[in-house]
Amino acid sequence: GPNGLVIDRMFYKIVNDTTNDDAVPFSSGSGAEYTRLSYDLKGNYFSFYMHNLSQGNVYRIVFLCDVDGQNQIVDRQFKFKVV
């Protein structure tokens, strides 16, 4: 069986940790679901290219999980800095 929990409809957004502004918003409401996570037997994953983010800023990854039609925001304070 799978090693991790797989959520079929899961999205990410990138938040500027200083201003709390969305640098990359959830795409769950649009036709193109460009922030939707992929998944395999090990769990969910995504690729993200940081060239659009400002150097020196700290960002946070926030997830939106759609489980049986119920949306849940998950913010575990996953932070990274663009250098």
Side-chain angles (χ1 to χ4, degrees):
N3 295 330
L5 174 67
V6 172
I7 298 173
D8 177 50
R9 289 185 53 79
M10 187 170 176
F11 300 86
Y12 70 88
K13 74 175 178 176
I14 307 296
V15 179
N16 182 313
D17 195 54
T18 303
T19 65
N20 223 32
D21 292 332
D22 290 351
V24 179
F26 293 127
S27 66
S28 57
S30 65
E33 296 183 331
Y34 56 89
T35 67
R36 186 173 180 176
L37 276 70
S38 300
Y39 58 92
D40 60 20
L41 291 177
K42 295 180 183 176
N44 296 84
Y45 65 92
F46 66 96
S47 296
F48 180 72
Y49 301 96
M50 292 189 266
H51 60 276
N52 289 328
L53 300 181
S54 298
Q55 197 170 12
N57 285 345
V58 175
Y59 294 93
R60 196 169 74 248
I61 304 171
V62 179
F63 296 99
L64 170 65
C65 305
D66 177 348
V67 181
D68 298 325
Q70 299 294 314
N71 286 343
Q72 180 180 358
I73 301 289
V74 178
D75 184 356
R76 297 278 168 84
Q77 298 293 307
F78 294 121
K79 297 180 184 183
F80 63 94
K81 183 174 185 176
V82 178
V83 293

